[in-house]
Amino acid sequence: MDSKIALLKEEFSAELKKAENTADLEAIRVKYLGKKGSVTDLLKEMRDLSVEEKKAFGQKVNELKAEVADAIAARTTELKELEVLKEIESMPEFDVSMPANITEGSYHPVTLVQRQCEQIFKTMGFNVEDYSEIVTDYECFEALNIPKHHPARDMQDTYYLTNGQLLKTHTSAAQNAIYKKYRDALINDNVPIKAIFPGRCFRNEATDACHENTFFQMEGVMVDKDISISNLIYFMKTMLSEVFQKDLKVRLRPGFFPFVEPGFELDISCLICGGEGCPSCKHSGWLELCPCGMIHPEVLKAGGIDPEEYSGFAFGLGLTRLVMMKYGIKDIRDLNSGSLKVLSQFTDDE
Ligand code: PHE
């Protein structure tokens, strides 16, 4: 019996050496370890042995089985590596000097309009501020006169992080930080606070042609002594007329936001029908573009500014919406599509 095992071992290692590829190895595996394989056959021969002999022989056969399996596995790895190397060698050489076939990129339409607005506001003396996309509950709601459980929160459900922070639902979330940053200059040196802060906002939204869960706004605030609604109307009208390169009609309607008092919706005359009424303006002749209002005394207080002495206005321009109007984009989802076919149509025409 022992000699049989020794013979099989010899035969096996000879065949293993000859194997040239993984297919050969598979054939060897079947020949030795398969159901009708030579090693398996050895076990069948045990029938005629005594109990003692069976035990000793069985152990040896099992050892042989393991040896054969290990040897095949090791050789398989070796051969696979060789096969990969061969394939690499047979590949045509890569020419690093070949010119790349790259489609030239263009600015995203939101970036174009944002830069344009920034430029216009800069010439009117506004600072441009950047702000994070992840904010605290305090910044996004509490500091804006929206306490916990206030119904206004319902319209601004968002994505919450496990640490309690959230993705900002509106650019107003930066207001508190801006007031704190500039209040010393306001109070000590009589420098009015004039800032705009564009940013990406997020809301838990069922998406369709007019709704997206990720969109852009551009907030603006101005705080000084004796700021009134006239100042608000003047700045908004000037900015929008510059963006659209024509003198637009604007109107204010009452609107509710807990952080302004009084609050408004600013509409512009419909650019598509010129105010006659069409499907784009729901036949009203007006397009809702910019919620705004006079900053609520509680919000000024939270920013460390005395509302008895100072007043201000705030607006939250829907930058994404403005882009859609300016370029006549009908589906908001195109803007986040990353599709070059759509986006490369817009170039910097400044
Ligand atoms: N933050 C408000 C919104 O996103 C808009 C707004 C900004 C309203 C500033 C008034 C003043 O709905």
Side-chain angles (χ1 to χ4, degrees):
M1 280 293 179
D2 278 358
S3 58
K4 266 194 177 174
I5 293 184
L7 211 72
L8 213 69
K9 264 191 193 174
E10 249 173 56
E11 196 189 316
F12 168 73
S13 31
E15 280 192 41
L16 193 67
K17 264 187 211 145
K18 274 194 239 150
E20 281 179 357
N21 49 42
T22 43
D24 288 352
L25 285 176
E26 179 56 15
I28 295 177
R29 194 191 62 77
V30 174
K31 183 172 174 194
Y32 288 87
L33 300 179
K35 265 193 194 156
K36 292 179 188 157
S38 331
V39 178
T40 324
D41 277 350
L42 279 179
L43 286 173
K44 286 178 196 156
E45 284 177 28
M46 289 200 331
R47 255 180 252 135
D48 311 326
L49 299 176
S50 71
V51 178
E52 280 299 297
E53 283 169 330
K54 261 186 194 164
K55 221 176 166 189
F57 185 67
Q59 199 182 340
K60 278 187 186 152
V61 176
N62 278 334
E63 277 168 16
L64 174 67
K65 238 176 154 179
E67 228 173 88
V68 169
D70 286 352
I72 292 178
R75 187 76 184 131
T76 306
T77 319
E78 268 173 34
L79 283 183
K80 269 193 183 154
E81 277 171 16
L82 281 177
E83 280 169 15
V84 172
L85 281 178
K86 254 196 211 157
E87 201 182 321
I88 292 175
E89 272 168 21
S90 68
M91 279 201 305
E93 246 175 63
F94 180 60
D95 181 0
V96 284
S97 64
M98 222 155 89
N101 182 15
I102 297 174
T103 316
E104 217 171 274
S106 58
Y107 282 113
H108 193 282
V110 170
T111 307
L112 292 176
V113 175
Q114 178 182 323
R115 288 188 178 177
Q116 198 188 359
C117 292
E118 284 175 8
Q119 206 47 46
I120 297 164
F121 274 105
K122 268 190 205 163
T123 60
M124 296 194 285
F126 283 73
N127 290 319
V128 180
E129 291 286 339
D130 197 13
Y131 207 66
S132 49
E133 290 172 357
I134 298 173
V135 296
T136 59
D137 186 274
Y138 178 80
E139 292 169 295
C140 203
F141 301 119
E142 301 256 341
L144 293 165
N145 205 24
I146 312 176
K148 290 217 160 42
H149 312 300
H150 190 290
R153 287 193 182 211
D154 286 355
M155 287 178 291
Q156 303 205 4
D157 185 20
T158 181
Y159 303 91
Y160 286 84
L161 310 187
T162 44
N163 66 5
Q165 289 185 315
L166 47 105
L167 298 188
K168 73 173 175 221
T169 58
H170 51 180
T171 39
S172 308
Q175 278 195 23
N176 190 259
I178 304 276
Y179 300 141
K180 285 176 178 158
K181 177 172 176 183
Y182 291 110
R183 75 178 160 204
D184 287 349
L186 172 73
I187 296 164
N188 303 331
D189 307 319
N190 295 321
V191 181
I193 300 179
K194 284 165 92 178
I196 54 161
F197 26 109
R200 200 196 305 262
C201 305
F202 307 85
R203 287 189 199 177
N204 179 5
E205 197 87 64
T207 53
D208 61 25
C210 333
H211 296 90
E212 250 293 16
N213 50 29
T214 306
F215 54 94
F216 287 83
Q217 289 187 339
M218 197 180 75
E219 190 102 350
V221 292
M222 176 168 182
V223 183
D224 199 0
K225 288 182 175 149
D226 303 321
I227 294 293
S228 73
I229 297 169
S230 320
N231 298 103
L232 167 66
I233 296 176
Y234 168 77
F235 280 108
M236 294 316 298
K237 196 171 178 294
T238 309
M239 193 277 292
L240 293 169
S241 302
E242 289 275 338
V243 170
F244 290 104
Q245 295 290 308
K246 56 175 143 178
D247 197 24
L248 292 173
K249 270 198 280 178
V250 300
R251 74 170 185 189
L252 292 183
R253 284 179 294 121
F256 174 73
F257 303 93
F259 36 94
V260 284
E261 179 59 37
F264 308 104
E265 292 287 356
L266 184 137
D267 299 339
I268 58 169
S269 51
C270 178
L271 295 156
I272 303 194
C273 62
E276 296 285 309
C278 69
S280 295
C281 58
K282 293 186 196 128
H283 303 284
S284 69
W286 295 95
L287 292 169
E288 193 179 307
L289 191 65
C290 183
C292 53
M294 301 306 291
I295 302 164
H296 196 286
E298 288 302 326
V299 174
L300 285 176
K301 261 194 237 166
I305 296 167
D306 180 4
E308 297 293 328
E309 212 176 325
Y310 298 97
S311 56
F313 66 76
F315 61 84
L317 185 70
L319 202 56
T320 298
R321 176 167 272 203
L322 188 62
V323 171
M324 289 172 74
M325 273 178 209
K326 185 169 160 133
Y327 294 113
I329 298 171
K330 295 212 170 68
D331 194 325
I332 190 170
R333 292 166 295 191
D334 283 340
L335 290 168
N336 285 348
S337 67
S339 154
L340 283 183
K341 239 190 217 168
V342 175
L343 301 174
S344 59
Q345 297 173 55
F346 310 100
T347 47
D348 200 344
D349 46 14
E350 280 160 27

